[in-house]
Amino acid sequence: MHNIAVKKSILEEIRGLTKLIRPKQWVKNSFVFAPLIFSGLFLNWHAVESTIFAALLFCLAASAVYIVNDLKDIDKDRAHPEKCHKRPLASGAVSPKSAIALLIVIYCSLAFAWIYHPKLIYVITTYLILNWAYTFKLKHEPVIEIFIVAFGFVLRVYAGAVALEIPVSNWMFVTTLSISLYLASIKRRQELINSGTQSRGVLEHYSVSLIDRFAEMSAVTAIVFYSLYVMDVQPQLVMTIPFVMFGLYRYWFIVETLEEGESPTDVIIQDWQILGTVFAWVAYCIWVLLPTM
């Protein structure tokens, strides 16, 4: 009976650690693959391998950020009506010592990866430093905190370019920033509507109407900048513009009508129209940019 209890405890700890690193959120690291697609190098195995390596490292870095954030907010999360059950540290499913041990393992893994690709680790280190600043100070600063979240996606795109050792169009960077600002604004909007200021102190400085303007402006600039990028750099992809417009329209419909969108990851994974649009966009880009054999 004792052995069974020990095994059960170990399994619960593993499940808790798995929740702690939030693997579902790794879908955000798909931004790393953007340079691979637009460069037309997706049939080059070395390029694919390098991009996957970069994405995996970003998965580790993102998980490290989540662990640091949960350690920092453990007392606050314990007092929250929902997070006290959902967050492994707050619920007691994972001990702080186990979380710190896992964090050290992740940092050591990233440090070891420096041997293979130091330039890529510089980008990831920038991401980690930015998020440390966010966790301990800047997440309480209105507007700045939204831009930090969005800039994390820009760094993902840049990491994909660094992994391939290719330049990235400035249009791609500003388009990524605009789309990320849109998603981050929507997330704050839904948090404010669903939980008020309980979930984040910074929400005290926002109103729904203000965040709506943030989101609308970001959506418009995303469409404009993506269109300019396509027409200036990849004119053969002009037919992908409707995919981007439909995705943004559909997302806003989900937010406004279905009252979802607090988790962009859940929307992308669960809504078949959004998911289908993403797959169709990727498939069309690959088909058009397919190198001539």
Side-chain angles (χ1 to χ4, degrees), residues 135-154:
T135 297
F136 290 98
K137 177 63 178 179
L138 297 181
K139 69 178 179 180
H140 303 295
E141 299 295 328
V143 182
I144 291 177
E145 56 96 19
I146 293 179
F147 269 80
I148 289 178
V149 173
F151 193 67
F153 289 92
V154 176

Side-chain angles (χ1 to χ4, degrees), residues 43-71:
L43 293 183
N44 183 313
W45 172 244
H46 177 69
V48 173
E49 189 178 48
S50 297
T51 303
I52 292 174
F53 180 67
L56 289 175
L57 291 182
F58 244 102
C59 288
L60 289 175
S63 292
V65 168
Y66 294 137
I67 294 172
V68 171
N69 181 72
D70 285 1
L71 285 168

